[in-house]
Structures are given as structure tokens and as C-alpha cells.
């Protein structure tokens, strides 16, 4: 599908983004905007949870995180169980370092395939993790070289799975690959900042890299239109608001259990950043690592979970915290050692931290000494039922101090299974 035939929409015309740009981080207008966007996120999540409760075969019930970013491993596994597999071959474009992606679980189950990664360090790590079991291509994949790379790697005409996650040209790569490859299942990242019916896709540029803003990829409604044109049906999305799942029409019909789902019924908002429903994520500020004493001088005055309780396993959870920077150092997000709002789950009665999600709640701009700020983030409930304590606070990426001491608020929570 070409630019000439695809009905691109302008995001600024479809959503009032200008208002969001005008709200500077740390101002009352920005805080009001974040609360409004959180309410919109929760409304979408509640709508989707009701659909899950009404349908025992709903794909989101099968979410499970082994090596995927969120619950993609479980959803993809269930799709393949219903659709079947043929050559057990996968391709992942934008595989990262191999420790976390949508096809690593398939590799561990004995599948074979190809990982493509533009970052040399990630590609080298993927080589080590793959251990010769997967072909790793270090390349910046674009629509001009995509088919040649697949050919050189020996990718079959109909691989079982192709996953695309490059934070920009995803939809263009799918269209380029479709000229010679007809995967049975396509996993592709969608722009979850804009809900249906917004139909928008980023114009093509071969060297495009994600700039940290909402301008990446294509909305779910746009991908649904692209997929239909290529002979694929949308069957669902992960509840984290990251990846959409498409199945080739003949495969879906043969399965008898993979119905087409309208974008408005499949869409999940960006749970990982619930306060920014379209607002550009300003991540340009980079700072040095906060020392533990400095981190302990960041006071959390209030922390809360925002979801219907009790939680269910794997359910998206939004959280907020108010902080006061009592240290002498400015706090910023983005890049190495950027600070984040984090949520870690600790089993009741156990010492923490147990695990924490380093991508939740990026800071916009700088939080200067003496400044107060509200932060929001999102994660998933634990994958096992039980009693937990949610420790909401300030953390640092990649190896800085996790939330502790004064920089943490503890919230007891129960996590149950989905009703069968």
C-alpha cells in the first residue's frame, strides 16, 4: 500500500495535541492533563476487562510473560495452538539483545528463525544468547533492503511468525515484506497513544529512529486497514498497549476460532505511560547517576494504584506518586541513569525489592531541588495469584537504586485468577 493510496490522517487534527504541547511539565495545567489522560486510560482498560470477563476464550486471558515485554508470549502461544504451525520458523525485526522479545520463547521451544537488529551491541548480545540456534543479522532494515535480507538468510516464503518492532517504520516494513513473504501470524507494534478510530501512520523515512515522542509507527485503526489490504485479520492486542496480532485470512478461517476483532474492541491503551494519552514524551534530559543518599532525599508524599481491585493476574495497573526533590541534584529521565516512577511487587511478608519495571513513568523535563511533581506509570499485576505489597516510588535505569526508604510508598493488594 503506497502513500498515495493510504488515507493518512493528521494526528493534530484528530486529537487536541496542541493543548498538550502547551502544558509545561510541573505546572498545574500539566498535572490536570495527566489526570485527564489517566481517566481515559482507565476507561479503556475497564471496557476491555469487561470483554474478557464475558468471553472465556478471549486472547488476553492467555497472556503470559516469559521473554516478552509483557504478555505477548502467552497470546502468541494461544494463537499458534488454535492456528497450528507448519515449519516452526520465525522472523523478528528489531529483536533487541535477545533477552526480551516476542520470539525468544519460541526459540527455547525448539523453533528456528532469524533475528534482525540495527544496534551492534544488541546484535552481539543476541548472537551470544542464540548460541547458533538463530540467525542474527546486524542491519538497519528498511523497505528497500528488507526482502534482500530475508532472501540472504533463507527465510521461507511462509514462515509461521513474523514480529516487527522498530518504533517507526513498522507498517512500511510489513508492506515491503509482504511482496515475497506470507507469514501465518504477524505481531507488530502499534501506536497506542491514539485510540480508534484515529487512523494515522508515520510517513516513511529510511533512517527513521524513534525520537521519544508519540510520532512512531501507526495507530491500530491504520494497521487494521493495512492488514486487511494484505489479507490479514486483526485478532487482538496485548493488554500492555504495545503489540497487535494479525492472522492470515485463510489460516484464521481454517482454525475456526480466530475471529476478526474490530480495532475498538481489540485496542488497549499504553499502560506503560497512562498519563500521556497522546502527549509527547519529553526524554531529552540526561543526568548522572543519583547516589543512594541522594535518592533517599527524594520524598514520596503519596503513592497509589489506579485500577479496579482486587487485581487479576497480568492485569494492567496504573500508579501515581507525588515526589519532592529534597536532594541538591536535579532529577531527569531519559538515557542511561534516567530516573523513573516504578512499581515493584513484593509478596506479603517477604523482604523487597523482588522485581521492578524500569520503563514505567518517565520524567518529563527536570525536577529541580525543592520542586514537587506528580509522576505516573504503568505495569502489569503479578503473574501468580496471592497477597502482595506494591512498592511505588522512584527508581533509576539501568542499575541505580530502586525505590526504598523515604522514596517509596507501600500499597497492600490482592491478586486473583481470572474466573474460568
Amino acid at each position: 500500500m503506497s502513500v498515495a493510496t493510504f488515507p493518512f490522517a493528521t494526528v493534530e487534527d484528530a486529537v487536541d495535541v496542541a493543548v498538550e504541547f502547551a502544558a509545561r511539565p510541573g505546572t498545574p495545567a500539566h498535572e490536570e492533563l495527566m489526570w485527564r489522560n489517566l481517566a481515559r486510560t482507565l476507561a479503556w482498560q475497564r471496557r476491555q476487562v469487561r470483554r474478557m470477563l464475558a468471553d472465556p476464550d478471549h486472547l488476553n486471558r492467555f497472556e503470559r510473560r516469559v521473554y516478552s515485554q509483557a504478555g505477548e508470549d502467552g497470546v502468541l502461544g494461544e494463537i499458534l495452538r488454535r492456528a497450528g504451525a507448519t515449519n516452526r520458523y520465525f522472523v523478528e525485526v528489531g529483536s533487541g539483545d535477545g533477552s526480551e522479545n516476542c520470539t525468544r520463547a519460541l526459540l527455547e521451544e525448539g523453533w528456528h528463525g532469524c533475528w534482525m537488529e540495527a544496534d551492534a551491541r544488541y546484535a552481539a548480545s543476541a548472537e551470544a544468547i542464540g548460541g547458533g540456534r538463530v540467525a542474527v543479522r546486524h542491519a538497519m532494515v528498511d523497505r528497500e533492503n528488507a526482502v534482500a535480507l530475508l532472501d540472504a538468510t533463507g527465510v521461507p516464503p511462509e514462515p509461521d511468525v513474523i514480529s516487527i518492532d522498530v518504533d517507526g517504520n513498522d507498517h512500511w516494513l510489513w508492506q515491503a515484506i509482504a511482496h515475497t513473504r506470507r507469514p501465518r501470524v504477524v505481531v507488530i507494534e502499534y501506536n497506542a497513544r491514539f485510540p480508534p478510530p484515529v487512523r494515522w501512520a508515520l510517513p516513511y523515512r529510511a533512517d527513521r529512529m524513534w525520537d521519544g515522542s508519540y510520532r512512531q509507527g501507526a495507530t491500530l485503526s491504520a494497521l487494521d486497514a493495512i492488514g486487511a489490504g494484505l489479507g490479514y485479520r486483526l485478532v487482538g492486542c496485548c493488554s500492555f498497549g504495545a503489540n497487535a496480532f494479525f492472522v492470515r485470512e485463510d489460516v484464521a478461517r481454517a482454525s475456526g476460532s480466530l475471529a476478526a476483532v474490530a480495532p475498538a474492541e481489540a485496542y488497549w491503551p499504553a499502560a506503560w505511560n497512562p498519563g500521556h494519552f497522546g502527549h509527547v514524551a519529553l526524554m531529552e534530559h540526561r543526568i548522572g547517576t543519583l547516589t543512594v543518599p541522594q535518592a533517599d532525599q527524594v520524598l514520596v508524599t503519596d503513592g497509589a494504584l489506579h485500577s479496579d481491585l482486587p487485581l487479576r493476574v497480568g492485569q494492567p495497573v496504573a500508579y501515581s506518586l507525588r515526589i519532592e526533590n529534597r536532594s541538591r541534584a536535579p532529577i531527569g529521565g531519559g538515557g542511561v541513569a534516567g530516573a523513573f516512577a516504578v512499581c515493584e511487587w513484593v509478596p506479603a511478608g517477604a523482604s523487597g525489592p523482588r522485581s521492578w519495571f524500569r520503563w514505567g513513568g518517565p520524567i518529563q523535563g527536570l525536577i529541580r531541588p525543592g520542586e514537587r511533581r506528580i509522576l505516573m506509570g504503568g505495569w502489569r499485576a503479578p503473574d501468580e495469584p496471592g497477597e502482595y505489597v506494591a512498592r511505588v516510588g522512584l527508581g533509576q535505569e539501568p542499575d541505580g537504586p530502586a525505590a526504598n526508604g523515604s522514596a517509596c510508598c507501600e500499597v497492600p493488594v490482592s491478586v486473583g485468577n481470572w474466573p474460568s
Side-chain angles (χ1 to χ4, degrees):
M1 189 176 297
S2 67
V3 177
T5 60
F6 184 77
F8 288 104
T10 301
V11 170
E12 284 79 359
D13 292 340
V15 180
D16 191 7
V17 177
V19 174
E20 306 200 11
F21 273 125
R24 297 182 59 185
T27 64
H30 187 262
E31 182 171 324
E32 180 181 353
L33 174 69
M34 293 178 71
W35 284 117
R36 186 197 74 184
N37 291 344
L38 173 63
R40 295 172 67 186
T41 296
L42 295 177
W44 274 100
Q45 288 179 349
R46 291 188 179 108
R47 188 180 312 168
Q48 300 301 55
V49 167
R50 287 196 294 269
R51 289 194 173 100
M52 291 171 65
L53 292 172
D55 181 4
D57 294 323
H58 199 290
L59 283 174
N60 290 116
R61 285 177 173 259
F62 299 91
E63 289 193 2
R64 180 171 58 95
R65 180 176 184 262
V66 183
Y67 296 105
S68 56
Q69 181 183 36
E72 292 90 346
D73 286 333
V75 174
L76 181 57
E78 177 62 15
I79 290 173
L80 292 170
R81 187 192 69 79
R82 300 183 192 182
T86 55
N87 47 35
R88 291 166 61 88
Y89 194 100
F90 62 80
V91 176
E92 180 131 5
V93 183
S95 64
D97 65 4
S99 63
E100 179 185 278
N101 61 39
C102 288
T103 57
R104 169 75 185 277
L106 298 178
L107 177 66
E108 300 302 331
E109 292 173 5
W111 286 47
H112 58 296
C114 171
W115 286 343
M116 298 183 180
E117 173 55 46
D119 189 294
R121 296 167 301 170
Y122 286 170
S125 175
E127 287 269 15
I129 287 176
R133 298 173 297 164
V134 58
V136 178
R137 289 276 178 175
H138 170 219
M140 179 74 174
V141 184
D142 55 45
R143 66 180 182 183
E144 287 75 33
N145 67 10
V147 170
L149 287 169
L150 296 177
D151 291 343
T153 311
V155 175
E158 296 186 6
D160 278 316
V161 176
I162 286 185
S163 175
I164 306 173
D165 182 356
V166 296
D167 298 326
N169 286 330
D170 308 63
H171 51 295
W172 294 110
L173 297 184
W174 185 12
Q175 293 174 74
I177 289 170
H179 288 300
T180 62
R181 299 314 193 275
R182 300 282 294 164
R184 293 163 62 83
V185 179
V186 172
V187 185
I188 185 168
E189 187 176 51
Y190 67 98
N191 189 325
R193 295 183 186 275
F194 302 103
V198 177
R199 183 184 288 190
W200 177 87
L202 196 64
Y204 180 74
R205 197 181 74 208
D207 62 347
R208 187 177 297 283
M209 302 288 287
W210 186 46
D211 62 3
S213 77
Y214 69 82
R215 291 184 172 276
Q216 55 92 11
T219 63
L220 186 61
S221 292
L223 286 176
D224 182 59
I226 293 171
L230 297 175
Y232 287 79
R233 67 172 61 169
L234 174 66
V235 297
C237 297
C238 71
S239 64
F240 197 50
N243 286 294
F245 299 86
F246 290 82
V247 178
R248 206 173 67 204
E249 278 291 348
D250 61 309
V251 175
R253 286 194 299 269
S255 75
S257 57
L258 288 167
V261 182
E265 296 180 358
Y267 170 84
W268 288 83
W272 45 275
N273 206 351
H276 302 281
F277 213 99
H279 189 83
V280 62
L282 302 176
M283 308 253 291
E284 72 274 20
H285 294 285
R286 298 167 184 260
I287 61 170
T289 302
L290 290 174
T291 65
V292 172
Q294 286 175 328
D296 284 342
Q297 292 178 45
V298 179
L299 178 65
V300 173
T301 59
D302 179 58
L305 300 182
H306 301 278
S307 181
D308 294 329
L309 300 176
L311 296 177
R312 298 177 176 86
V313 292
Q315 180 179 342
V317 183
Y319 54 89
S320 66
L321 62 151
R322 292 182 181 273
I323 71 170
E324 180 180 346
N325 184 7
R326 294 187 175 183
S327 76
R328 295 183 179 180
I331 303 171
V336 176
F340 290 76
V342 298
C343 177
E344 55 195 4
W345 301 107
V346 182
S351 59
R354 178 58 59 91
S355 66
W356 61 295
F357 183 55
R358 295 188 294 247
W359 295 354
I363 292 172
Q364 295 193 40
L366 288 176
I367 304 177
R368 294 173 173 80
E371 186 178 353
R372 295 181 176 89
R373 184 79 66 85
I374 184 170
L375 303 177
M376 292 183 181
W379 188 213
R380 285 162 42 86
D383 291 324
E384 298 293 335
E387 300 298 316
Y388 292 84
V389 173
R391 304 180 76 238
V392 180
L394 194 71
Q396 211 165 197
E397 187 181 26
D399 296 316
N404 57 61
S406 62
C408 175
C409 184
E410 297 189 344
V411 183
V413 63
S414 297
V415 178
N417 280 316
W418 293 97
S420 59

